[in-house]
């Protein structure tokens, strides 16, 4: 079996409502679907979702990289030799993790379909058949708006991820307290600060974090202040997760070695693919650090990949961020994620188990709308 073509389809995708976190206001999303075809028929799909907070890749650059750098390396090669292909691509795809992640995903999907096994089987097998997911409450100036968003989700999820860091520390903590008061003590809450606090902000927040009942702080400090985070972790009786600080497997190794966090967020898109995410997970496990599966709120293809990744990890410290497609106005897969009792089932069909709806894909092609 040989790869015969690599196609990139940029999508016009948008969210049902504006989603604010960190420095981002997301109402549209510049996703790109990659399609890898073979001479024998099996085809694989991957999805890039480049977001500025993590990468300087853009929708146009992802398309260009797929056409000009990925296709020449892959065409004519056997897709079943995924690791040698990724190794060769790494030479010409530096600093393009989202592009690489889409290719890694498409190769896994393709080989899974060719062998008639789900992707998590290719990754070594599944530890679970369903993945617990959390809801998310974007940052808003209005505490009332955050409370309303949280209450809408409190029946669906046992855990909610909140966002802080954009406002004044005390005002942000007031908003988090308002959410806690509204949802009651039984909903697990953690907060993503997206590296927007200073060490002083974190010290100021310490006394209120336990009172609000936050179980975990995700990336409170920027990477440059990681040493402070290391010192402050010891004073916290909550978990600290590294997200923005872990963009490569080497970053994961540093976080684990220096004990900069108790949990590593393994988004496969930001890490350059599920293969890299698995390597990072193994390093974390070897160092006794927990892991969780994050995302950048992706559509069905990348989300299905996240579900297989989460299935293949022996332990997960927190629920996964894998309800992304529910935030989109459009869907690109025939199967949809469905949250039942706070969990999403791991797809069982061959490959990703989610099949791209070709008609929808072509309808959403951003080039048709230029
Ligand atoms: Mg995060």
């Amino acid at each position: 079996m040989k790869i015969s073509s690599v196609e990139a389809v940029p999508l016009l995708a948008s969210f049902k409502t504006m989603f604010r976190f960190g420095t981002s206001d997301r109402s549209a999303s510049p996703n790109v679907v990659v399609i890898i075809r073979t001479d024998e028929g099996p085809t694989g799909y991957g999805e890039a979702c480049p977001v500025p907070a993590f990468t300087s890749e853009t929708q146009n650059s992802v398309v260009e990289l797929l056409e000009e750098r990925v296709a020449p390396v892959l065409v004519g090669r056997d897709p079943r030799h995924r690791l040698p292909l990724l190794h060769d691509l790494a030479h010409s795809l530096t600093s393009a993790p989202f592009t690489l992640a889409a290719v890694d995903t498409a190769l896994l999907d393709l080989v899974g379909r060719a062998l008639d096994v789900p992707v998590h089987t290719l990754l070594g097998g599944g530890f679970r058949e369903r993945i617990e997911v959390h809801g998310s409450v974007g940052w808003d100036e209005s505490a009332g708006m955050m409370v309303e968003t949280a209450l809408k989700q409190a029946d669906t999820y046992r855990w909610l991820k909140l966002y802080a860091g954009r406002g004044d520390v005390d005002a942000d903590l007031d908003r988090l307290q308002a959410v806690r008061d509204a949802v009651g003590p039984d909903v697990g809450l953690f907060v993503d600060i997206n590296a927007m606090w200073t060490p002083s902000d974190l010290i100021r927040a310490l006394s209120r974090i336990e009172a609000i009942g936050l179980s975990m702080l995700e990336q409170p400090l920027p990477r440059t202040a990681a040493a402070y985070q290391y010192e402050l972790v010891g004073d916290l009786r909550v978990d600290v997760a590294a997200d923005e600080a872990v963009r490569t497997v080497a970053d994961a190794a540093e976080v684990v070695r220096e004990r900069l966090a108790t949990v590593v967020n393994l988004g496969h898109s930001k890490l350059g693919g599920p293969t890299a995410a698995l390597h990072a997970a193994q390093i974390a496990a070897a160092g006794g650090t927990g892991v969780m599966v994050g995302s950048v709120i992706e559509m069905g293809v990348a989300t299905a990949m996240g579900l297989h990744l989460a299935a293949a990890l022996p332990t997960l410290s927190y629920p996964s961020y894998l309800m992304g497609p529910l935030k989109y106005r459009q869907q690109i897969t025939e199967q949809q994620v469905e949250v039942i009792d706070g969990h999403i089932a791991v797809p069982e069909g061959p490959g990703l188990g989610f099949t791209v709806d070709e008609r929808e894909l072509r309808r959403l092609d951003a080039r048709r709308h230029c």
Side-chain angles (χ1 to χ4, degrees), residues 54 161 192 194 218 243-244 265:
F54 277 102
K161 173 174 183 164
D192 192 348
N194 295 111
E218 185 170 322
D243 187 10
E244 279 83 352
N265 186 324

Side-chain angles (χ1 to χ4, degrees), residues 17-341:
T17 55
M18 169 83 82
F19 186 55
R20 293 190 173 90
F21 61 97
T23 53
S24 307
D25 284 349
R26 285 179 72 187
S27 55
S29 193
N31 309 45
V32 178
V33 167
V34 58
I35 309 167
I36 301 182
R37 296 191 179 82
T38 58
D39 57 355
E40 293 182 13
T43 297
Y45 291 81
E47 177 192 340
C49 183
V51 295
F54 277 102
T55 181
S56 40
E57 293 160 284
T58 63
Q59 188 171 54
N60 287 338
S61 85
V62 171
V63 171
E64 225 174 280
L65 286 171
L66 288 167
E67 291 174 350
E68 294 181 17
R69 297 223 173 154
V70 175
V73 172
L74 295 194
V75 171
R77 307 275 295 274
D78 186 336
R80 290 168 293 194
H81 296 270
R82 188 176 94 262
L83 296 187
L85 292 177
L86 293 176
H87 183 264
D88 289 351
L89 280 176
H91 294 299
S92 54
L93 274 187
T94 47
S95 308
F98 289 72
T99 307
L100 202 52
V103 174
D104 193 5
T105 299
L107 289 170
L108 282 163
D109 184 36
L110 194 167
V111 176
R113 287 174 193 276
L115 301 178
D116 198 26
V117 295
V119 163
H120 62 263
T121 301
L122 294 179
L123 298 180
F127 285 88
R128 55 194 69 79
E129 292 172 354
R130 55 185 205 146
I131 308 299
E132 178 156 25
V133 292
H134 58 74
S136 81
V137 180
W139 184 89
D140 201 281
E141 176 84 50
S142 153
M145 183 63 83
M146 288 182 69
V147 164
E148 193 183 310
T149 308
L151 286 176
K152 272 188 205 157
Q153 299 177 63
D155 290 337
T156 309
Y157 304 98
R158 292 196 309 157
W159 284 84
L160 295 175
K161 173 174 183 164
L162 312 174
Y163 289 87
R166 189 180 286 210
D168 165 79
V169 179
D170 290 310
D172 269 358
L173 291 167
D174 288 345
R175 294 181 187 97
L176 302 185
Q177 181 71 61
V179 171
R180 168 58 78 202
D181 293 344
V183 300
D186 297 333
V187 177
L189 297 180
F190 63 93
V191 58
D192 192 348
I193 297 113
N194 295 111
M196 293 179 73
W197 278 353
T198 63
S200 306
D201 292 333
L202 179 53
I203 289 165
R204 192 179 177 89
L206 286 178
S207 63
R208 293 187 63 188
I209 287 164
E210 284 182 89
I212 298 170
L214 300 170
S215 301
M216 184 262 275
L217 305 179
E218 185 170 322
Q219 196 72 48
L221 303 180
R223 190 191 178 106
T224 46
Y228 292 102
Q229 188 167 297
Y230 171 72
E231 286 178 18
L232 293 166
V233 166
D235 292 334
L236 292 171
R237 268 166 276 167
V238 296
D239 275 312
V240 175
D243 187 10
E244 279 83 352
V246 179
R247 292 156 191 253
T248 63
V249 176
D251 288 342
E254 186 189 352
V255 165
V256 170
R257 189 172 58 241
E258 303 294 331
R259 299 187 180 188
L260 302 176
T262 55
V263 179
V264 173
N265 186 324
L266 299 174
H268 64 86
S269 291
K270 66 161 186 177
L271 279 164
T275 301
L278 274 180
H279 289 159
Q282 285 156 354
I283 288 168
T289 306
V291 296
M292 62 191 287
V293 173
S295 74
V296 288
I297 312 168
E298 298 131 349
M299 300 182 90
V301 173
T303 298
M305 184 62 249
L307 291 167
H308 289 285
L309 173 66
L313 297 172
T315 55
L316 294 166
S317 298
Y318 282 90
S320 303
Y321 202 4
L322 293 172
M323 50 27 175
L326 299 175
K327 287 187 183 281
Y328 283 85
R329 280 185 201 281
Q330 307 84 7
Q331 302 299 331
I332 54 170
T333 53
E334 289 170 10
Q335 300 83 353
Q336 309 299 328
V337 298
E338 194 182 354
V339 182
I340 298 169
D341 188 25

